[in-house]
Amino acid sequence: QVQLQESGPGLVKPSQTLSLTCTVSGGSISSGGYYWNWIRQHPGKGLEWIGYIYYSGSTYYNPSLNSRVTISADTSKNQFYLKLSSVTAADTAVYYCARGYYDRSGNYPPGEWGQGTLVTVSS
Amino acid sequence: DIQMTQSPSSVSASVGDRVTITCRASQGISSWLAWYQQKPGKAPKLLIYAASTLQSGVPSRFSGSGSGTDFTLTISSLQPEDFATYYCQQANSFPYTFGQGTKLEIK
């Protein structure tokens, strides 16, 4: 049973870079057939897809955040990462990492999620 | 981006009731539609994908239907643990987008 766990600072100052790590256990991020996601939820609000990375290293970012987002992975540590630059209060949210599988038909929605980590942007 | 609109935004129901939630996409998404359940302080839980396929371990009282732009989630007989917020999500084209949520409350 794969498990995902987010970690990183809970408080980030405006204009700085938010950095989060998702540690995966019970499965390898380098195995084919899966894509690895970052999704966020503003307090009391809905869900927003930030982006994802395939095991090949290919990445896809939400255009609304594209210029500020970087998702990367370290297969030796079985971790993947989120960096979001130039943050403002609008980036305050619970950040989730999640795993979905894909096949030739397309990407299937994530069935495994981390518990989420609240990141507050404030001076 | 594809906009997903759920209705109602909230619904009150009793244990044993049948409840239906609808989701409409701003353009056709074939069957690339998922439903999630979220409880306070928890991550979303995948219930249904490909519009009507039940995720492993999800009770059979949950069902989904639809294709194109109009979809429904039905809970056939509400149980106490079903009171939560439900989201639809399209996986037809990136950025994947969610509906605004439907809060299912106890009457």
Side-chain angles (χ1 to χ4, degrees), chain B residues 9-82:
Chain B
S9 296
S10 64
V11 57
S12 295
S14 301
V15 172
D17 283 354
R18 179 184 180 93
V19 170
T20 297
I21 298 168
T22 65
C23 179
R24 175 164 288 176
S26 60
Q27 62 189 75
I29 59 170
S30 185
S31 295
W32 289 98
L33 192 283
W35 290 98
Y36 295 86
Q37 176 194 70
Q38 187 177 34
K39 296 182 178 179
K42 300 294 187 182
K45 174 187 176 183
L46 180 63
L47 299 175
I48 287 169
Y49 62 95
S52 60
T53 302
L54 210 60
Q55 174 75 344
S56 176
V58 174
S60 59
R61 62 181 180 272
F62 291 91
S63 64
S65 65
S67 67
T69 60
D70 294 306
F71 302 87
T72 60
L73 170 70
T74 299
I75 310 171
S76 60
S77 178
L78 277 172
Q79 298 303 298
E81 61 268 28
D82 299 338

Side-chain angles (χ1 to χ4, degrees), chain A residues 41 45 47 49 51-52 61-62 96 101 105-110 113-114, chain B residues 1 32 34 36 38 42-44 46 49 55 87 89 91 94-96 98:
Chain A
Q41 186 168 33
K45 299 289 180 62
L47 295 145
W49 218 292
Y52 60 85
Y61 302 141
N62 191 324
Y96 295 101
Y101 77 87
S105 298
N107 290 348
Y108 293 84
W113 294 59
Chain B
D1 298 5
W32 289 98
Y36 295 86
Q38 187 177 34
K42 300 294 187 182
L46 180 63
Y49 62 95
Q55 174 75 344
Y87 294 93
Q89 176 243 316
F94 197 72
Y96 304 139
F98 293 87

Side-chain angles (χ1 to χ4, degrees), chain A residues 64-100:
Chain A
S64 68
L65 301 168
N66 190 42
S67 61
R68 298 195 294 129
V69 174
T70 303
I71 297 175
S72 59
D74 185 335
T75 57
S76 67
K77 295 182 178 179
N78 220 33
Q79 295 175 330
F80 64 106
Y81 311 100
L82 170 68
K83 289 190 185 299
L84 183 64
S85 63
S86 305
V87 297
T88 70
D91 295 308
T92 294
V94 174
Y95 287 76
Y96 295 101
C97 58
R99 184 185 81 162

Side-chain angles (χ1 to χ4, degrees), chain A:
Chain A
Q1 177 83 357
V2 69
Q3 292 186 314
L4 299 93
Q5 178 69 58
E6 306 88 352
S7 60
L11 181 64
V12 180
K13 289 181 167 47
S15 80
Q16 293 190 341
T17 296
L18 178 161
S19 296
L20 295 176
T21 298
C22 183
T23 300
V24 179
S25 58
S28 171
I29 66 168
S30 59
S31 59
Y34 295 101
Y35 68 113
W36 305 89
N37 301 269
W38 286 100
I39 296 163
R40 69 180 182 179
Q41 186 168 33
H42 295 100
K45 299 289 180 62
L47 295 145
E48 179 182 28
W49 218 292
I50 299 170
Y52 60 85
I53 186 167
Y54 288 114
Y55 79 97
S56 64
S58 298
T59 53
Y60 293 80
Y61 302 141
N62 191 324
S64 68
L65 301 168
N66 190 42
S67 61
R68 298 195 294 129
V69 174
T70 303
I71 297 175
S72 59
D74 185 335
T75 57
S76 67
K77 295 182 178 179
N78 220 33
Q79 295 175 330
F80 64 106
Y81 311 100
L82 170 68
K83 289 190 185 299
L84 183 64
S85 63
S86 305
V87 297
T88 70
D91 295 308
T92 294
V94 174
Y95 287 76
Y96 295 101
C97 58
R99 184 185 81 162
Y101 77 87
Y102 71 90
D103 62 18
R104 278 180 283 186
S105 298
N107 290 348
Y108 293 84
E112 292 87 23
W113 294 59
Q115 64 186 27
T117 187
L118 174 62
V119 178
T120 301
V121 178
S122 175
S123 55

